[in-house]
Amino acid sequence: MKIKKGLLLNLGLIGIAGLMFFTPLGFKAKVYLNRLISFNPTPVEQREQLVLEDFDWEVDDLEGRAFSLNQLKGKVVVINFWATWCPPCVAEMPGFQKLYLDYGNRAAFLFIARDEKEKVTKFLARKKYDLPVYFESGLTPEILFNAALPTTFIIDGHGRIVMAEVGSRDWNSNETRAFLDTLLLE
């Protein structure tokens, strides 16, 4: 019995789809693809910038201690909403780690995990990330809420949301660093 090329092609595509959707290999492939297609984030046009007026938002750190966004008023703040099960989130974490290592003493970083604490702790340990991770403990300000992951905001010292991105981006790019440098000089 001779097998047709079309049948072989279809079986191959079904096999690849099965690997992508039903195995851990698929998760790693999605992370890799997200890294390949991550673009530089772009600033929000000045006329479209919203202002975060309500800094009265509390989150809990990994040890369960409350932290208030009020403490960051007047600072440049990077807020990233993410989860360990989200391939685009995992894809952008290495860039965030590098950015945090270089800018963490001049800008505030909040990585808000929408995930189980145990999974987050294991993920951070396995990847050797030392990012400041928090969990939502109350209502997130409406201006920052987005159900899509990852979602990242950069807020300038005046409370303006100067960057708002949904999806994986290259947060360690030269353009992002230059943008942060400019914000930190204001």
Side-chain angles (χ1 to χ4, degrees):
M1 183 167 121
K2 190 173 182 181
I3 299 176
K4 295 181 180 180
K5 285 184 192 178
L7 178 60
L8 282 176
L9 180 64
N10 286 340
L11 289 174
L13 290 174
I14 290 170
I16 290 171
L19 284 173
M20 291 293 291
F21 293 110
F22 302 112
T23 70
L25 177 64
F27 184 85
K28 291 178 182 178
K30 291 175 194 172
V31 169
Y32 178 74
L33 287 173
N34 270 281
R35 285 191 186 137
L36 286 178
I37 62 172
S38 290
F39 302 104
N40 290 326
T42 55
V44 175
E45 294 288 333
Q46 190 168 5
R47 67 181 180 277
E48 296 176 10
Q49 290 176 359
L50 301 174
V51 177
L52 178 64
E53 295 177 9
D54 182 14
F55 276 79
D56 192 27
W57 178 40
E58 284 196 358
V59 292
D60 293 334
D61 68 13
L62 285 169
E63 284 76 39
R65 295 179 299 233
F67 178 82
S68 175
L69 196 62
N70 273 325
Q71 297 175 43
L72 304 178
K73 213 172 197 177
K75 294 184 179 182
V76 174
V77 181
V78 178
I79 301 174
N80 173 260
F81 293 88
W82 69 287
T84 62
W85 49 262
C86 165
C89 301
V90 173
E92 64 183 11
M93 282 295 150
F96 268 131
Q97 177 65 40
K98 291 174 185 170
L99 191 69
Y100 174 69
L101 288 174
D102 291 341
Y103 285 86
N105 61 343
R106 297 182 283 159
F109 286 79
L110 284 87
F111 293 90
I112 311 298
R114 291 188 173 156
D115 208 333
E116 296 174 24
K117 183 179 175 183
E118 185 178 324
K119 288 182 181 180
V120 171
T121 304
K122 286 180 181 178
F123 173 82
L124 294 172
R126 187 174 70 250
K127 296 292 187 176
K128 296 181 175 54
Y129 293 150
D130 63 350
L131 302 167
V133 174
Y134 300 89
F135 298 90
E136 296 165 295
S137 59
L139 290 177
T140 300
E142 188 175 337
I143 198 169
L144 297 178
F145 183 79
N146 191 324
L149 295 178
T151 298
T152 305
F153 299 96
I154 297 181
I155 302 167
D156 72 5
H158 304 286
R160 295 181 299 236
I161 297 175
V162 293
M163 200 170 277
E165 294 284 357
V166 175
S168 182
R169 297 291 186 269
D170 179 8
W171 292 102
N172 191 40
S173 68
N174 292 333
E175 292 82 358
T176 302
R177 288 171 170 269
F179 185 73
L180 281 174
D181 289 338
T182 302
L183 290 177
L184 291 166
L185 290 174
E186 290 180 1

